[in-house]
Amino acid sequence: MMNRRQQLKLTEGIDWPIMGLYLALVFVGLLSIFAAEYREGDNIWNDIIHLNKNYSRQIMWLGVSAILATIIWLTDSKFFTATANLLYAGGILLLLLVIAIGKDVKGSHSWLVIGGFQFQPAELTKLCTNLALAKYLSSLETDFTKLRSRLIAAALALIPCAIIILQDETGLALVYFSFFLVMYREGLPAVLLVIAFSGIVLVLSALLVDKNILFYIFTGITALVIYFMRRDIRRHRSKLALILGVYAFCSVFVMFIVPFAFTKVLKDYQVKRINVMLGKENDPKATYNTRQSMIAIGSGGVIGKGYLKGTQTRYDFVPEQSTDFIFCTVGEDFGFLGSLIFIGLYVALLLRIIFVAERQRSTFSRVYAYGVASIIFFHMAINISMTIGLAPVIGIPLPLVSYGGSSLMTFTMLIFIMLRLDADRQMVLR
């Protein structure tokens, strides 16, 4: 048997606040999945033994995740830097394999089935991409002030994103944009984030405002900018070219690019969900899931109906309640105060990860930790926004809480690799 000294050595260096928050979120997830599926008269032990319910299967996946976490904790940190590029290449190959022999599940061609085991490579590839980005940005040859380095870093994130879009899994593809927050921390100019935000505004404008009216607005704004900058333009003719270039791009973007994307790239149901969210359409079928979720959350009131007492969640009014809409179970059972505490767990986890990231000596470890924080933030923000009607339903799980083996294992590995790197933070890893 392991003596006390060996036990202390095994756990030496682990960040217990992150471990505690991880376990708390997993525990809340199991409680929520159980609440969504349990019905009076169910034989709980029989369901657990025979894996008849999602909560029983989630317990199994938690066991697998615990094994993976232990293996990672016992692995030398240098292993992750040495294999980062190889793992990224393997992740890309898996994504391409999905396109060739993948299985369709609920409208997305993003699942692989191997020996009865079904998983989503798009989940695992987030981990591989995070490692590869950390490896690249920590390389001595990388000068992130140069455009070439920034383009390579962006390509590392966008290549798997593009392949996942081809699998009709737009929701998970969007998460890969979280890596741009990491790049911003490492020196990406703030102006690029302003441009990205402006792009979002342009898309919304193109969807909500008539194209001809937008054209007149852009023309008027451009004329005013040229008028007020006329003295600078006389001295620097290049500024006029820049202003006219921005004007031309904005006009082309809202009049041609956005309509093309909504007619040729996005699926009909995705366009419908976006239009409904923006108030352009009123389709009861397209809004059913969100409406039922909002009813469930609202019915919880301030303190909730009590655990296992929710009517919306107990009687299957909310579809996909164990996965995409798991937050509505928390809202109905524990109310506004319970939801605040629940979200507070995520906020505390994110703040602690950022604290851990900033104390790293190694650029690799810092970049990786920020990647973990960014991925968790995107998942949490989009999923909760989805359940309360602030974002279209795009099928993104709530980290560590939603049912799903691929998701639980991926987030467990993401967090425990970070914990392993943090335990060795005195080492300089590249």
Side-chain angles (χ1 to χ4, degrees), residues 250-396:
C250 291
S251 300
V252 171
F253 188 82
V254 300
M255 299 185 73
F256 300 103
I257 296 178
V258 173
F260 176 82
F262 270 70
T263 55
K264 303 296 183 181
V265 178
L266 296 178
K267 302 295 182 182
D268 290 340
Y269 72 91
Q270 293 172 329
V271 174
K272 184 177 289 293
R273 286 174 178 173
I274 294 172
N275 286 336
V276 168
M277 184 191 70
L278 295 174
K280 294 182 66 178
E281 293 185 25
N282 183 21
D283 186 343
K285 290 184 179 179
T287 61
Y288 177 81
N289 292 5
T290 304
R291 282 188 290 109
Q292 293 300 326
S293 174
M294 293 170 67
I295 290 170
I297 294 171
S299 67
V302 177
I303 60 173
K305 295 178 178 178
Y307 188 60
L308 297 180
K309 295 181 179 179
T311 53
Q312 294 294 116
T313 54
R314 293 293 303 282
Y315 298 111
D316 298 323
F317 285 103
V318 185
E320 307 298 337
Q321 194 172 299
S322 297
T323 52
D324 298 345
F325 289 92
I326 193 70
F327 180 69
C328 71
T329 305
V330 177
E332 184 174 27
D333 285 2
F334 301 107
F336 178 73
L337 293 179
S339 297
L340 278 183
I341 294 171
F342 175 69
I343 294 172
L345 291 176
Y346 277 114
V347 173
L349 178 62
L350 290 171
L351 291 176
R352 185 64 187 180
I353 292 174
I354 292 171
F355 172 81
V356 166
E358 289 297 333
R359 73 183 180 188
Q360 304 303 308
R361 291 183 60 194
S362 168
T363 300
F364 179 90
S365 301
R366 183 182 67 243
V367 171
Y368 180 84
Y370 267 103
V372 175
S374 298
I375 292 169
I376 292 175
F377 171 74
F378 258 63
H379 269 268
M380 179 200 73
I382 294 176
N383 179 276
I384 294 178
S385 296
M386 200 171 65
T387 60
I388 60 178
L390 295 180
V393 180
I394 52 178
I396 289 183

Side-chain angles (χ1 to χ4, degrees), residues 44-298:
I44 298 175
W45 294 113
N46 183 67
D47 289 337
I48 291 176
I49 293 171
H50 294 95
L51 303 177
N52 293 332
K53 299 280 189 177
N54 282 341
Y55 62 79
S56 59
R57 288 187 284 269
Q58 190 77 344
I59 293 173
M60 179 194 70
W61 292 125
L62 180 57
V64 175
S65 297
I67 294 171
L68 291 172
T70 303
I71 293 171
I72 289 170
W73 183 250
L74 296 175
T75 302
D76 192 318
S77 294
K78 293 179 182 178
F79 171 82
F80 302 111
T81 60
T83 60
N85 292 334
L86 183 63
L87 290 172
Y88 179 77
I92 296 298
L93 287 175
L94 278 176
L95 292 178
L96 294 173
L97 191 63
V98 169
I99 294 177
I101 63 170
K103 178 182 177 182
D104 289 335
V105 176
K106 297 177 182 178
S108 67
H109 187 77
S110 61
W111 295 82
L112 276 181
V113 180
I114 301 176
F117 175 65
Q118 181 175 290
F119 74 105
Q120 267 186 311
E123 287 281 359
L124 181 62
T125 311
K126 291 182 297 191
L127 167 62
C128 302
T129 303
N130 197 21
L131 286 168
L133 184 62
K135 176 76 172 179
Y136 179 71
L137 293 180
S138 64
S139 172
L140 292 174
E141 291 76 29
T142 300
D143 182 358
F144 203 55
T145 62
K146 301 289 181 63
L147 177 61
R148 179 176 178 275
S149 297
R150 291 170 179 170
L151 290 175
I152 292 174
L156 287 173
L158 294 178
I159 288 173
C161 174
I163 300 173
I164 293 168
I165 289 175
L166 294 177
Q167 299 172 2
D168 294 329
E169 193 59 68
T170 311
L172 284 178
L174 288 176
V175 176
Y176 284 76
F177 285 93
S178 65
F179 291 113
F180 285 91
L181 294 178
V182 182
M183 296 179 215
Y184 173 69
R185 166 60 182 83
E186 296 302 310
L188 196 67
V191 66
L192 295 180
L193 293 182
V194 173
I195 291 173
F197 179 76
S198 301
I200 295 172
V201 173
L202 282 176
V203 171
L204 293 176
S205 300
L207 296 175
L208 296 174
V209 184
D210 182 78
K211 289 187 292 185
N212 293 325
I213 294 176
L214 278 178
F215 179 75
Y216 294 137
I217 291 173
F218 291 157
T219 302
I221 292 174
T222 303
L224 288 173
V225 171
I226 292 174
Y227 175 77
F228 287 112
M229 293 184 63
R230 60 188 183 279
R231 293 180 181 177
D232 287 340
I233 290 173
R234 290 194 189 101
R235 291 193 295 267
H236 305 284
R237 292 289 180 180
S238 60
K239 290 186 177 181
L240 177 62
L242 177 62
I243 293 169
L244 293 177
V246 172
Y247 166 70
F249 173 80
C250 291
S251 300
V252 171
F253 188 82
V254 300
M255 299 185 73
F256 300 103
I257 296 178
V258 173
F260 176 82
F262 270 70
T263 55
K264 303 296 183 181
V265 178
L266 296 178
K267 302 295 182 182
D268 290 340
Y269 72 91
Q270 293 172 329
V271 174
K272 184 177 289 293
R273 286 174 178 173
I274 294 172
N275 286 336
V276 168
M277 184 191 70
L278 295 174
K280 294 182 66 178
E281 293 185 25
N282 183 21
D283 186 343
K285 290 184 179 179
T287 61
Y288 177 81
N289 292 5
T290 304
R291 282 188 290 109
Q292 293 300 326
S293 174
M294 293 170 67
I295 290 170
I297 294 171

